[in-house]
Amino acid sequence: MVTGLKTISQEQKDQFEKEGYLIIKEVFTKQEITEIDQTFMEMSKEAIPGCFEPIMDHSSEEEDPLKRYPRMMHPHRVNDLAMKYMLHPKVMLILSDLFDENALAAQSMFYFKPPLARGQALHQDNFYLKVEPGTCIAAWTAVDRADQENGTLLVVPKTNNDEIYCPELADSKESFTNHYVKVPKGLKTVPAIMDQGDVLFFNGNLIHGSYRNKTKDRFRKAFICHYAGESTTKIGNFYSPLFREDGSKVEPETNQDSGPCGNEFEAGYLH
């Protein structure tokens, strides 16, 4: 069991517990961000079954830029660098402070979000990961500067203590995913403005999402990983196995519960 804050201040820990999120500046160096960026852009040149399945046809890209640059799912399963940065010691230490115990890595993703690409409707991560007990924590790394023009992440502070909601249907013209969670009455979205190398950590129950990339010449690339605490006993089947910082595997019971909507969710709902 991890005890005592090692990498963040008590003020930062209090903010995370009160607001549900925390931005840590310059977690990664410019050299590390360049390595991440170049690696994923090189990977994007061809399809990777089960991880990255673009439509290379130029006309499709003009119709919907996300057809050429869909998100990568679980790149750590096919690429050593993705595994390396998912288990980066600095990130794992910050997570241990936030969890109050050692962290286990559950998922990696890479979002390209090219110019004019749709965003992702407001949602909660633990709707998908189904971590028990407790919830997951995301580490959202800005590979490009992320601001309101290129569709940075929006968070709804203080929803981290809310239950998991049954989502409504999202507007497919603005969101590439089909789930939408309303902002609770009296609360509002806040944009997470981030520079390259900054990392946004947020609670798995926190409502968050993003708007369209309104620029014509800027990507908003992000490396995003999800984690559970070492006391986790269940997680959604799609996210097992989990990984310790040393790369060893942990295989908790897979969670088959139907969730707040009262029915089983199809593969298309996976986060």
Side-chain angles (χ1 to χ4, degrees):
M1 178 67 69
V2 175
T3 58
L5 298 176
K6 296 178 175 62
T7 58
I8 63 174
S9 67
Q10 187 61 53
E11 182 180 11
Q12 289 173 314
K13 178 66 178 294
D14 292 344
Q15 180 196 324
F16 181 81
E17 293 185 348
K18 179 182 179 181
E19 304 289 333
Y21 72 98
L22 175 68
I23 295 175
I24 304 292
K25 303 292 292 183
E26 298 179 342
V27 173
F28 293 107
T29 65
K30 292 187 182 298
Q31 182 178 355
E32 289 174 324
I33 289 297
T34 297
E35 183 178 36
I36 293 171
D37 196 2
Q38 291 178 346
T39 296
F40 282 102
M41 290 307 293
E42 184 65 29
M43 289 175 69
S44 74
K45 292 180 179 180
E46 59 184 15
I48 306 170
C51 172
F52 180 67
E53 300 183 358
I55 297 174
M56 297 294 189
D57 180 73
H58 184 66
S59 61
S60 296
E61 184 175 354
E62 291 180 342
E63 174 190 342
D64 179 0
L66 291 178
K67 290 185 176 180
R68 173 60 184 87
Y69 289 105
R71 57 183 173 175
M72 283 190 182
M73 303 294 282
H74 285 316
H76 69 277
R77 295 180 178 176
V78 298
N79 182 274
D80 290 342
L81 181 129
M83 176 70 84
K84 168 187 169 182
Y85 281 104
M86 181 178 73
L87 299 177
H88 193 284
K90 192 170 183 179
V91 171
M92 297 298 277
L93 276 173
I94 294 170
L95 287 162
S96 72
D97 282 347
L98 298 177
F99 275 119
D100 288 323
E101 61 179 359
N102 291 321
L104 303 173
Q107 181 188 32
S108 63
M109 300 187 291
F110 194 87
Y111 281 37
F112 293 91
K113 200 163 191 179
L116 303 179
R118 289 171 293 166
Q120 183 174 10
L122 295 171
H123 62 282
Q124 297 166 291
D125 288 345
N126 209 43
F127 175 85
Y128 307 93
L129 274 79
K130 298 182 180 179
V131 169
E132 293 183 22
T135 188
C136 56
I137 293 178
W140 197 102
T141 300
V143 177
D144 298 309
R145 174 174 166 79
D147 51 45
Q148 288 173 285
E149 290 301 308
N150 68 352
T152 193
L153 208 66
L154 302 169
V155 298
V156 183
K158 301 181 180 179
T159 55
N160 49 302
N161 292 319
D162 289 6
E163 297 296 326
I164 296 297
Y165 294 97
C166 182
E168 300 179 8
L169 189 64
D171 180 358
S172 62
K173 293 181 180 179
E174 295 299 327
S175 173
F176 72 89
T177 53
N178 56 9
H179 287 162
Y180 168 65
V181 174
K182 287 183 177 180
V183 177
K185 186 176 181 179
L187 300 179
K188 62 181 181 179
T189 59
V190 174
I193 308 300
M194 302 169 65
D195 294 312
Q196 288 181 312
D198 296 350
V199 179
L200 168 68
F201 296 89
F202 58 92
N203 181 290
N205 287 34
L206 188 82
I207 298 173
H208 65 285
S210 68
Y211 292 136
R212 180 181 295 272
N213 182 345
K214 295 182 288 187
T215 72
K216 296 181 179 180
D217 59 356
R218 295 171 58 204
F219 276 71
R220 190 229 64 184
K221 297 185 290 290
F223 181 58
I224 307 160
C225 299
H226 289 97
Y227 303 84
E230 66 177 347
S231 61
T232 295
T233 59
K234 290 184 178 182
I235 195 167
N237 182 63
F238 183 69
Y239 306 94
S240 185
L242 310 180
F243 292 88
R244 299 186 182 92
E245 184 179 342
D246 63 7
S248 59
K249 294 182 180 180
V250 177
E251 298 188 47
E253 181 181 351
T254 54
N255 196 338
Q256 302 298 328
D257 290 347
S258 61
C261 299
N263 52 24
E264 295 293 334
F265 302 116
E266 300 173 359
Y269 292 173
L270 294 171
H271 184 60

